[in-house]
Amino acid sequence: MVVVGIGIRANTSLFEGQLLMEKGGIKVNGQMQTSDSSVYAVGDVAAFPIKLFDGDIRRLEHVDSARRTARHAVAAILEPSKTRDVDYLPFFYSRVFTLSWQFYGDNVGEVIHYGDFTSNSPMFGAYWVSKGQITGAFLEGGNRDDYEALSVVVRRKTKVSDMPELERQGLAFAIQESKKDVPDSGVTLGEKPTFVWYATAGVVAAVSISAFGYWYGRKRRRW
């Protein structure tokens, strides 16, 4: 059996020549607005600025990005004056049979591997370090607290002064560093989106409209 992963190409042909494009997607700002302020783009087709990467424009192909950029666009449309620019931590996960992994950040810089690769329940991971800071982290077999610790050290761009020691500590490094207090940056790492209510309201409205349409259609057939 041969498995070939060739990626995808975002289908943006409908908007080419009408909206600005970048990195193979529709370029948007921190509010998910395109070059036409009345048009918003989210999900795989949207190329948006990543604060963690100093505002570099990226197009991310993952369900988590699709969900969060959609919610952010809803908030920006309904309350533009109260919605800050999107501050998304790039995140990917996958599950293959008994394996389950998560990745945060970017895979740039020197990579450090750690963990147990041989047992029946392996738990292993990797850090990516660039210019003395953690830029990315991967973990297979962790629990919720483990993954949260990794997300914290990546978002904080935690400094690394001793690479061999980082390899020796492995996951323990992230757990230890994530518990340290840092100056308030204006971003709450565990903050729940304020736009969840809007997304819920939108779903309720859509369901209500569908139910009314179904009821009205049946009523007309009886007439």
Side-chain angles (χ1 to χ4, degrees):
M1 179 176 66
V2 177
V3 178
V4 180
I6 61 173
I8 66 168
R9 181 180 293 112
N11 186 1
T12 59
S13 58
L14 179 63
F15 305 100
E16 289 175 359
Q18 302 181 72
L19 302 174
L20 288 179
M21 301 288 168
E22 188 167 334
K23 302 281 180 73
I26 301 171
K27 185 178 181 180
V28 299
N29 61 19
Q31 301 291 301
M32 310 311 296
Q33 278 181 306
T34 69
S35 54
D36 181 333
S37 61
S38 65
V39 178
Y40 292 72
V42 302
D44 290 9
V45 299
F48 62 97
I50 304 294
K51 287 188 176 182
L52 184 69
F53 305 152
D54 300 320
D56 187 35
I57 299 293
R58 299 288 181 95
R59 188 177 67 81
L60 304 177
E61 300 170 2
H62 197 275
V63 62
D64 184 72
S65 171
R67 289 169 176 165
R68 291 181 182 272
T69 54
R71 290 173 180 170
H72 197 86
V74 170
I77 292 169
L78 294 178
E79 289 191 319
S81 62
K82 296 182 180 180
T83 304
R84 295 180 293 181
D85 285 349
V86 64
D87 186 10
Y88 180 68
L89 173 63
F91 165 69
F92 299 88
Y93 73 87
S94 188
R95 299 186 183 93
V96 182
F97 301 110
T98 60
L99 301 178
S100 176
W101 59 263
Q102 294 187 19
F103 173 84
Y104 300 88
D106 200 3
N107 58 337
V108 296
E110 183 178 352
V111 61
I112 297 294
H113 299 96
Y114 63 88
D116 174 16
F117 301 86
T118 60
S119 70
N120 293 329
S121 299
M123 184 175 179
F124 56 86
Y127 295 107
W128 282 261
V129 181
S130 178
K131 299 178 181 178
Q133 295 179 316
I134 289 182
T135 57
F138 165 95
L139 180 64
E140 156 64 38
N143 58 40
R144 183 174 181 177
D145 291 339
D146 297 334
Y147 291 126
E148 177 64 21
L150 290 181
S151 71
V152 170
V153 296
V154 172
R155 184 181 283 278
R156 290 179 180 175
K157 296 182 178 179
T158 301
K159 293 182 179 180
V160 176
S161 57
D162 189 334
M163 298 290 277
E165 180 64 13
L166 174 64
E167 182 177 10
R168 188 190 68 79
Q169 291 191 28
L171 178 61
F173 174 85
I175 294 174
Q176 176 181 321
E177 290 294 323
S178 67
K179 295 178 180 179
K180 293 182 178 179
D181 293 331
V182 296
D184 185 9
S185 63
V187 176
T188 304
L189 297 177
E191 183 180 25
K192 293 185 178 180
T194 58
F195 39 74
V196 170
W197 184 89
Y198 298 122
T200 304
V203 172
V204 172
V207 171
S208 300
I209 293 170
S210 299
F212 175 78
Y214 176 76
W215 170 82
Y216 186 72
R218 287 177 59 87
K219 187 174 182 179
R220 282 184 62 86
R221 285 197 295 271
R222 286 200 298 268
W223 291 346

